[in-house]
């Protein structure tokens, strides 16, 4: 009964164009969501979001300001949230503007890269102090390895690549290790200067 109400658009390369004609983005996951790229894209396009309050979504969506958060597995709450965005008139535009501002203030790629560099250097510095309290700072670049089963085509992988490719190469050496297979994003990582090593099923059996 949803055939005339739902469009299964498949893989699209014109997400920005689609978002320009969308009033509200809805994410109804009930298990795992880390830091969904779809919501970041909506925020960038000044589109409010109604999402379930799981994983990293409460960090992205400011409830009642940039959209609404509802409990998982609550279809009525999700529907109510959508209606609250769309009514009264002008509320969606107001929340969308607040969402874009929140993105610009907290979630830019530049800030993500800077914070990642800071955290990594802090962790490594602490480890070096514990192992050699009198060791001089500096030395070889910090090695950063992303370990994954495979690298599928997804928002999380795109964000991870942006950070790994964006860090200061003089201070960090980045790479990816795929346990089973490379996946469709592996060549993209390679092209961006992030080497990918595939362990593979046969090598995995000998470990």
């Amino acid at each position: 009964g949803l055939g005339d109400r739902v469009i299964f658009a498949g893989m699209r390369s014109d997400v920005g164009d689609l978002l320009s004609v969308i009033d509200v983005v809805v994410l109804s996951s009930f298990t795992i969501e880390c830091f969904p790229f779809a919501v970041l894209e909506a925020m960038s396009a000044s589109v409010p979001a109604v999402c379930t309050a799981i994983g990293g979504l409460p960090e992205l969506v400011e409830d009642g300001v940039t959209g609404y958060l509802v409990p998982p597995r609550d279809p009525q709450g999700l529907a109510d949230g959508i209606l609250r965005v769309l009514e009264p008139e002008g509320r969606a535009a107001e929340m969308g503007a607040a969402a874009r501002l929140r993105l610009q203030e907290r979630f830019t790629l530049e800030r993500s890269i800077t914070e990642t560099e800071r955290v990594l250097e802090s962790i490594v510095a602490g480890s070096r102090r514990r192992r050699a309290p009198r060791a001089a700072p500096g030395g070889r670049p910090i090695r950063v390895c992303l370990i994954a089963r495979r690298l599928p085509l997804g928002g999380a992988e795109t964000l991870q690549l942006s950070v790994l490719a964006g860090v200061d190469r003089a201070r960090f050496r980045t790479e990816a290790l795929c346990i089973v297979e490379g996946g469709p994003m592996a060549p993209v990582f390679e092209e961006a200067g992030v080497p990918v090593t595939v362990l593979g099923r046969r090598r995995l059996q000998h470990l």
Side-chain angles (χ1 to χ4, degrees), residues 34-37 154-161:
C34 297
F35 213 65
F37 205 70
E157 291 72 27
T158 301
L159 185 58
Q160 290 165 348
L161 173 58

Side-chain angles (χ1 to χ4, degrees), residues 2-182:
L2 297 177
D4 60 342
R5 298 171 181 264
V6 177
I7 298 174
F8 294 97
M11 184 70 68
R12 300 293 292 250
S13 59
D14 57 345
V15 174
D17 293 335
L18 295 176
L19 286 171
S20 68
V21 296
I22 289 176
D23 296 313
V24 57
V25 163
V26 179
L27 193 62
S28 59
S29 303
F30 57 84
T31 53
I32 298 174
E33 281 292 349
C34 297
F35 213 65
F37 205 70
V39 176
L40 290 171
E41 289 178 317
M43 295 169 72
S44 177
S46 300
V47 178
V50 177
C51 306
T52 44
I54 64 169
L57 285 166
E59 184 179 355
L60 285 175
V61 179
E62 186 175 359
D63 191 35
V65 179
T66 68
Y68 289 106
L69 294 168
V70 302
R73 300 181 186 272
D74 183 2
Q76 187 58 56
L78 203 64
D80 291 343
I82 295 171
L83 292 176
R84 290 171 70 189
V85 170
L86 300 177
E87 301 171 356
E89 187 176 350
R91 181 63 169 155
E94 178 184 334
M95 292 185 123
R100 181 173 174 81
L101 180 61
R102 184 175 178 82
L103 174 74
Q104 293 172 336
E105 291 178 345
R106 301 191 180 195
F107 303 115
T108 63
L109 178 59
E110 292 76 13
R111 178 167 180 169
S112 295
I113 291 173
T114 299
E115 286 298 303
T116 299
E117 291 178 338
R118 182 187 64 78
V119 170
L120 289 172
E121 288 182 324
S122 175
I123 292 172
V124 172
S127 175
R128 287 174 177 171
R129 282 195 299 269
R130 288 191 297 272
R131 288 183 298 173
R134 297 181 182 179
R140 66 181 187 277
I142 297 171
R143 184 179 180 185
V144 181
C145 183
L146 169 66
I147 301 177
R149 183 178 178 84
R150 63 193 297 269
L151 294 172
L153 184 62
E157 291 72 27
T158 301
L159 185 58
Q160 290 165 348
L161 173 58
S162 297
V163 174
L164 290 175
V167 296
D168 184 354
R169 297 302 177 90
R171 293 152 54 205
F172 299 92
R173 175 187 162 194
T174 60
E175 58 187 306
L177 173 64
C178 296
I179 297 175
V180 176
E181 61 182 5

